[in-house]
């Protein structure tokens, strides 16, 4: 292939720019021209593209966000939208596409591959909700950011003898909450994958108070409930001073961690290699610290498993 394109789609992550950098530099070293599609599939459907030169992507590895912007384009779910997307690629003479996004974005890549344009997916979402890869790009940074925020929240809770429900991202997946909770010494971790009993949590909090442990941090995955409602319910049952705090978009911004940067580089290189080999309909990822690629249909059919081993280690550690 001589001309390829890259787009970022869905919720952004702090390490999308690093992946763009890797794609553009690797492609340039193979003599390919790279186009950046602006605003994900929306830009592809409406013909918003710009050539990306290696010098334009210099020094963006440490910058959050995405220089080519991201969007969620419902039009791409329609046959008409997909055909328009193929037409844009044909008009620009683009032979292959790299999609950086979550599994919703991968469905667009699969559709384009079936319509004759080889597309390769790089897993870009902070949620870590993609089953075929151990880590998605942005997860490590989001977890590090959230853990540091909780360290700060705790100092205030300690000053006031308060309890705090801290809500972290993860639409349907508790991975962010689990990792943040373990890393920040949370007293309770509530995730959508594990049913929890709020009465039991309240009893436990009251028991802790009897033992002069006034402060509790409850890390709540957004998929497991609403932090304000849970805080109100705990207050009603315990009468204690309890606050809620939604970490929100801070988790999607800021400077990416070294782990994320290197993951972005490695997956970007492999994605370009696949297109160079003429292979589309694949997704790249990491398993046991090895960069892997897999058929996109197979990847999308896998069901994400919750890390019960880490969760049980955490519970055992807290059980004293
Ligand atoms: O990127 C995934 C995610 O961060 C989810 O955890 C969250 O529910 C969602 O994006 C919110 O994104 P937006 O507000 O951009 O739609």
């Amino acid at each position: 292939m001589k001309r390829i394109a890259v787009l970022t789609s869905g919720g952004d992550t702090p390490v999308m720019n690093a992946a763009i950098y890797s794609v553009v530099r690797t492609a340039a070293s193979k003599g390919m021209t790279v186009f950046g599609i602006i605003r994900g599939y929306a830009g592809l459907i409406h013909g918003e593209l710009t050539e990306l030169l290696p010098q334009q992507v210099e020094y963006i590895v440490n910058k959050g966000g995405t220089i080519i912007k991201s969007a969620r384009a419902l039009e791409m779910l329609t046959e008409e939208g997909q055909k328009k997307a193929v037409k844009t690629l044909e008009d620009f003479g683009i032979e292959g596409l790299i999609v950086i996004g979550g599994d919703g974005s991968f469905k667009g890549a699969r559709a384009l591959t079936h319509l004759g344009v080889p597309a390769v997916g790089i897993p870009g979402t902070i949620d870590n909700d993609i089953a075929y890869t151990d880590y998605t790009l942005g997860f490590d940074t989001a977890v590090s950011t959230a853990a540091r925020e909780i360290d700060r929240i705790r100092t205030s809770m300690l000053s006031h003898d308060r309890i705090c429900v801290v809500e972290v991202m993860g639409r349907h997946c508790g991975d962010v909450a689990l990792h943040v909770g373990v890393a920040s010494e949370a007293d309770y971790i509530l995730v959508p994958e594990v049913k929890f009993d709020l009465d039991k949590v309240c009893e436990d909090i009251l028991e802790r108070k009897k033992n002069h442990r006034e402060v509790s941090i409850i890390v709540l995955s957004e998929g497991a409930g609403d932090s304000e409602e849970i805080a109100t319910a705990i207050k009603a049952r315990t009468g204690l001073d309890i606050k809620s705090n939604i970490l929100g978009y801070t988790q999607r911004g800021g400077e990416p961690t070294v782990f994320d940067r290197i993951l972005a580089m490695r997956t970007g290189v492999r994605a370009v290699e696949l297109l160079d080999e003429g292979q589309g309909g694949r997704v790249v990822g990491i398993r046991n610290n090895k960069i892997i690629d897999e058929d996109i249909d197979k990847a999308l059919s896998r069901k994400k498993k919750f890390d019960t081993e880490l969760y049980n280690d955490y519970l055992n550690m807290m059980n004293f």
Side-chain angles (χ1 to χ4, degrees), residues 23-199:
V23 165
V24 172
R25 303 276 290 230
T26 309
S29 74
K30 292 179 181 296
M32 294 168 160
T33 300
V34 185
F35 287 85
I37 298 165
I38 311 301
R39 265 177 283 277
Y41 288 113
L44 183 57
I45 291 167
H46 299 289
E48 268 191 89
L49 281 78
T50 182
E51 190 178 337
L52 289 176
L53 301 170
Q55 54 269 37
Q56 284 174 296
V57 297
E58 252 178 354
Y59 315 128
I60 62 166
V61 161
N62 63 342
K63 306 258 185 322
T66 156
I67 57 163
I68 49 177
K69 299 189 184 282
S70 190
R72 300 183 200 274
L74 293 177
E75 228 182 320
M76 194 59 195
L77 298 173
T78 67
E79 211 177 297
E80 200 193 333
Q82 291 165 8
K83 282 189 180 148
K84 280 191 197 165
V86 172
K87 167 101 177 43
T88 303
L89 293 166
E90 282 169 1
D91 289 349
F92 281 79
I94 292 164
E95 301 151 285
L97 175 69
I98 293 174
V99 171
I100 306 168
D103 53 3
S105 311
F106 285 176
K107 289 183 184 146
R110 174 170 66 180
L112 291 172
T113 304
H114 289 162
L115 290 169
V117 182
V120 172
I122 295 179
T125 164
I126 66 155
D127 289 353
N128 211 38
D129 57 351
I130 302 186
Y132 76 87
T133 182
D134 291 347
Y135 298 107
T136 56
L137 279 67
F139 172 70
D140 187 64
T141 306
V143 168
S144 304
T145 303
R148 281 200 304 270
E149 293 294 302
I150 292 177
D151 292 345
R152 293 191 177 111
I153 289 171
R154 183 182 284 100
T155 61
S156 179
M157 297 300 125
L158 284 165
S159 306
H160 296 276
D161 282 342
R162 280 175 173 160
I163 295 161
C164 192
V165 180
V166 185
E167 185 178 318
V168 297
M169 279 188 169
R171 213 184 313 225
H172 312 292
C173 176
D175 275 28
V176 174
L178 174 62
H179 286 246
V180 167
V182 171
S184 64
E185 290 184 54
D187 302 291
Y188 306 93
I189 302 175
L190 309 181
V191 291
E193 294 89 344
V194 183
K195 226 171 134 47
F196 59 88
D197 178 351
L198 209 54
D199 286 328

